[in-house]
Amino acid sequence: MSTVPGQSMGWARAGVGAVLVVAPGWFLRLSGREAPTPVSALLIRTIGIRDLALGIGTVTAARRGDEDGLRHWTSVGLASDSLDVLASLAARRSIGTTEALAAAAAALVFAAGDVVALRLLGRADPAT
């Protein structure tokens, strides 16, 4: 059984989102700079909710065979990830270069996956 382009990215995004919602403290401890606070846990959970929603939307469109919907959800994910890269780099002075680059790199991995999925969708559609 072949995977629809973008479906894997949707599952990955939903998985990461679920982890961020369920275990924000684990994620926050990765930097080792400070103990998680209720405010930082809330922020991580909201990011997780966003990624969970984007992932579920992507997977749902893929399972329905809705290529327009799949392009839409993947494009929204790409926009979100691209803005995450920019926001991470802009925060370099306040959060430190190492953390900013790590956050930007993580978002860049997802953005690259989104670009690949969109290109594969373009090839799968003879009208484009």
Side-chain angles (χ1 to χ4, degrees):
M1 179 176 175
S2 64
T3 300
V4 176
Q7 186 172 1
S8 296
M9 283 301 300
W11 281 116
R13 186 181 300 279
V16 168
V19 169
L20 295 178
V21 169
V22 172
W26 172 83
F27 178 80
L28 289 164
R29 285 188 282 281
L30 287 177
S31 75
R33 288 184 71 188
E34 59 188 55
T37 66
V39 172
S40 62
L42 174 62
L43 175 63
I44 294 301
R45 279 193 170 112
T46 61
I47 294 168
I49 291 167
R50 175 199 68 189
D51 282 336
L52 188 57
L54 288 170
I56 289 171
T58 303
V59 169
T60 300
R63 287 182 150 211
R64 289 182 179 160
D66 178 3
E67 288 189 22
D68 288 337
L70 186 53
R71 272 190 204 86
H72 168 79
W73 283 103
T74 304
S75 295
V76 171
L78 175 58
S80 175
D81 296 329
S82 299
L83 291 171
D84 284 349
V85 170
L86 295 175
S88 297
L89 295 175
R92 182 182 53 82
R93 288 186 182 155
S94 61
I95 68 172
T97 300
T98 301
E99 284 82 2
L101 290 176
L108 193 58
V109 166
F110 273 88
D114 294 331
V115 168
V116 168
L118 286 169
R119 287 188 181 200
L120 290 172
L121 279 167
R123 290 184 190 153
D125 183 5
T128 58

